[in-house]
Amino acid sequence: MIRRASLVLVGALMGATAMSVIYSAGVPAEAAGSSTYKELSVFGDVFERVRAQYVTPPAEDKLIENAINGMLSSLDPHSSYMNAKDAEDMRTQTKGEFGGLGIEVTMEDELVKVITPIDDTPAAKAGVLAGDYISEIDGQSVRGLKLEDAVEKMRGAVNTPIKLTLIRKGADKPIELTIVRDVVAVQAVKSRVEDDVGYLRIISFTEKTYPDMEKAIKKIKDAVPADKLKGYVLDLRLNPGGLLDQAINVSDALLQRGEVVSTRGRNPDETRRFNAGPGDLTDGKPVIVLINGGSASASEIVAGALQDLRRATILGTRSFGKGSVQTIIPLGENGALRLTTALYYTPSGRSIQGTGITPDIKVEEPLPEELQGKMVTEGESSLRGHIKGQSETDEGSGSVAYVPPDPKDDVQLNYALDLLRGKKNDPAFPPNPDKAVVAK
């Protein structure tokens, strides 16, 4: 099995409108014509008029940032400008760790509610419990704050203290804790054993994903004897993407050979191909991959590779359909430019831009009564200004992105388990590697 270091990122970690990115110090460009520079002089004139004569003094840096974003958003939904803070946030997300407390939170009744403290983190060691409500952060009330603002306040430099005021059910008065921030690793892969089946859920593709997957598979193998293990479910639902090298490594971990993905830019010499090497962490056991409308970019690369090479059966509903590649161009202290520069293709040579991955076995996930009529089907094809895919039709891409919180109610998961255990049959399972579909 070949492991590669790469500076390519695929997927937005904060939503389903995923992106693909290649870090670059700079890109060659042709000089603009004289008429273009004349138009730029008009922009300078407008900027000076606004700066000098607008009814209230505008923030000049915001004027320029918004002008840049206006230009980039006119290209496609994924090209944008990231200021220094946004660029740093992106680097933190892809690294998969940050300085913080180690708690999963939500907002409830204007307070920050602790869903769960992560094991062996500062919050867990300090005694924060699931169900606690955080009412104050460093003496300031959280009421009126957005959840992301409260989370931002709790994150910070390693070895710096933070004071939390907690409201706990059964306690007669608020609890005050001083906690010292430490490095918190975000779990990229969650796993468990479903009796005789290994379940792997990839949450996002960060630097932690392949190592976490490797550990999870070993843990499953240790728990279930090889002769009893029926196979694996790889859950990519609600996964918006992440690092390209991790998507390649995850695919490679299940493949013995073959092309995983290729990226093709404006010029033919910009084409890049990524191949799998020998070695299969699952020892050839059957694999079923779950996808839905929340599976985007890096998730689609994995699903597309395993589907084309007939290594796994894809089950669920149509994926998001994000198949474009963005290059991240650092702009020094001023942030970074994210610019669409290529499309990526599955081993068979298909672009999923605007179409998504169609599952081998379509299984709809029923919505609970309280969500019926409230969830909209969204995909790349529904984004205004998106690049039209070469195979895109009026049918578009995407599907409802919903996964029941209780596995017992998860129709897609239980369908996959029944297939692996032989309780259900389908012509698409198990797939035949001898019938792999590759580009000619």
Side-chain angles (χ1 to χ4, degrees), residues 227-306:
D227 60 335
K228 302 292 185 183
L229 188 61
K230 295 290 195 302
Y232 294 82
V233 173
L234 180 63
D235 194 346
L236 298 179
R237 294 173 299 177
L238 306 182
N239 184 321
L243 291 166
L244 175 59
D245 75 310
Q246 295 297 311
I248 294 168
N249 287 348
V250 166
S251 303
D252 192 356
L254 304 173
L255 295 166
Q256 294 282 7
R257 62 185 179 278
E259 182 177 298
V260 174
V261 67
S262 64
T263 62
R264 307 176 196 177
R266 183 166 165 175
N267 301 313
D269 58 2
E270 294 174 349
T271 298
R272 302 179 67 194
R273 299 184 183 278
F274 302 89
N275 299 306
D280 180 348
L281 291 183
T282 66
D283 302 320
K285 292 286 186 181
V287 176
I288 295 178
V289 177
L290 302 182
I291 62 170
N292 65 10
S295 307
S297 249
S299 300
E300 295 173 294
I301 286 174
V302 174
L306 298 181

Side-chain angles (χ1 to χ4, degrees), residues 13 23 85-99 155 184 186 206-207:
L13 299 179
Y23 285 91
K85 181 180 181 302
D86 291 339
E88 180 59 31
D89 285 347
M90 185 197 69
R91 285 190 287 270
T92 297
Q93 291 173 39
T94 57
K95 190 174 182 181
E97 60 183 33
F98 54 88
R155 289 186 179 182
V184 176
V186 179
T206 71
E207 291 178 9

Side-chain angles (χ1 to χ4, degrees), residues 414-426:
N414 285 295
Y415 198 106
L417 294 175
D418 285 347
L419 283 171
L420 287 165
R421 291 169 179 155
K423 295 180 180 179
K424 289 185 185 295
N425 296 296
D426 192 282

